[in-house]
Amino acid sequence: AWYEEEVDKLDEIYDGEGTMPSVVFSHMPLPEFHTAFLAARSGEGAKYVLEQELTPTEVTSIRKDGPTNENTGFFDSMKEHGSVAYFCGHSHSLDFQVEMDGITLGFAPQTGFSTLFGDNDLLRRAYTYHFDENFDFPGRDTKADRKSGQRAY
């Protein structure tokens, strides 16, 4: 598949001695977002990087927001190929981040003018992602508070 081929090419170009860490930015969430959120909420098998309180409707939407509920194995491929994070948008009102199996799964915050659940008074905001030379996250920056606009970090 395309992802594996591209990561393998980059490994050869930049390292040649193993897997180069990578980050995936995509529009749609993977099915594992729902699994990871529930695991973090229960405290078993995943942990919050950035927690968000969700209504039951929003929790259900995590599972239904993907183009299909079919699991294509992309998350497993990311684990095998050294990806450290997968960030997506799609659901403008979701902005949690959860780490599961060494991969951070995160929704980006709303940047547009309307949301899936009609909470259109949410502020438009963005994240800045900081990576060190090992692709670890020494910090995330500039998450505005959901209602007040105050900086949360």
Side-chain angles (χ1 to χ4, degrees):
W2 176 86
Y3 167 78
E4 291 89 350
E5 291 171 8
E6 292 304 312
V7 171
D8 290 345
K9 283 183 208 174
L10 290 172
D11 286 347
E12 289 296 318
I13 293 169
Y14 294 107
D15 188 35
E17 296 182 16
T19 302
M20 179 179 172
S22 62
V23 177
V24 176
F25 291 91
S26 181
H27 181 78
M28 302 303 290
L30 299 171
E32 285 81 5
F33 273 71
H34 186 255
T35 305
F37 179 82
L38 294 178
R41 189 167 70 175
S42 72
E44 297 181 20
K47 66 180 180 178
Y48 286 111
V49 176
L50 181 62
E51 190 170 354
Q52 180 184 11
E53 290 278 329
L54 297 180
T55 67
T57 301
E58 289 172 319
V59 172
T60 300
S61 78
I62 299 167
R63 185 177 61 248
K64 293 182 179 176
D65 276 347
T68 177
N69 288 332
E70 179 185 346
N71 190 325
T72 64
F74 190 76
F75 183 78
D76 290 333
S77 183
M78 288 175 57
K79 288 191 298 188
E80 292 171 18
H81 285 81
S83 288
V84 297
Y86 182 105
F87 296 107
C88 66
H90 188 67
S91 294
H92 299 188
S93 61
L94 300 177
D95 65 357
F96 69 84
Q97 296 177 12
V98 177
E99 183 180 318
M100 183 173 78
D101 295 336
I103 297 177
T104 298
L105 299 170
F107 278 98
Q110 174 179 328
T111 57
F113 289 97
S114 65
T115 68
L116 181 63
F117 298 105
D119 193 4
N120 294 322
D121 62 339
L122 292 177
L123 298 171
R124 288 176 290 285
R125 57 212 193 279
Y127 294 134
T128 303
Y129 302 95
H130 301 273
F131 303 96
D132 67 14
E133 64 276 0
N134 298 314
F135 270 69
D136 290 327
F137 295 115
R140 291 166 180 80
D141 201 9
T142 64
K143 179 196 177 285
D145 179 75
R146 293 178 65 93
K147 297 288 183 187
S148 70
Q150 296 299 310
R151 196 177 152 121
Y153 292 100

